Amino acid sequence: SLAVLPNSGRLASGSRDATIKIWDVGSHRNFSTLRGHTGWVNALAVFPSGGHLCSASADGTLRVWDAEGCVEMVLLWGHGLGV
């Protein structure tokens, strides 16, 4: 899964290793790795403001991240299976 973080020169990629990597497109380097999911990260979406990233995982959770500070802000759970 991929999502472009607007006006930042970065993009986010979700992976089977349960992480989200934030990439700096200009330098081609990993800016940060977001950890918290315990299953495959299936989907990523960026809030219209560009300041937050939402992730959905096979672990049945949704997480909202601060896209600038790269920290988890909200954990949502309740699905019996993956999201």
Side-chain angles (χ1 to χ4, degrees), residues 18-49:
T19 67
I20 301 161
K21 294 198 179 282
I22 307 296
W23 301 93
D24 183 290
V25 177
S27 69
H28 305 191
R29 295 181 189 258
N30 180 319
F31 174 76
S32 183
T33 301
L34 309 181
R35 291 180 169 84
H37 286 295
T38 58
W40 189 335
V41 178
N42 297 318
L44 297 171
V46 179
F47 282 50
S49 67

Side-chain angles (χ1 to χ4, degrees), residues 4-75:
V4 175
L5 301 171
N7 304 316
S8 69
R10 295 181 183 150
L11 62 88
S13 62
S15 175
R16 290 178 66 178
D17 69 3
T19 67
I20 301 161
K21 294 198 179 282
I22 307 296
W23 301 93
D24 183 290
V25 177
S27 69
H28 305 191
R29 295 181 189 258
N30 180 319
F31 174 76
S32 183
T33 301
L34 309 181
R35 291 180 169 84
H37 286 295
T38 58
W40 189 335
V41 178
N42 297 318
L44 297 171
V46 179
F47 282 50
S49 67
H52 296 89
L53 175 70
C54 184
S55 57
S57 172
D59 66 10
T61 67
L62 299 170
R63 294 172 191 259
V64 179
W65 308 84
D66 175 341
E68 284 294 313
C70 298
V71 295
E72 182 182 314
M73 298 181 64
V74 177
L75 168 62

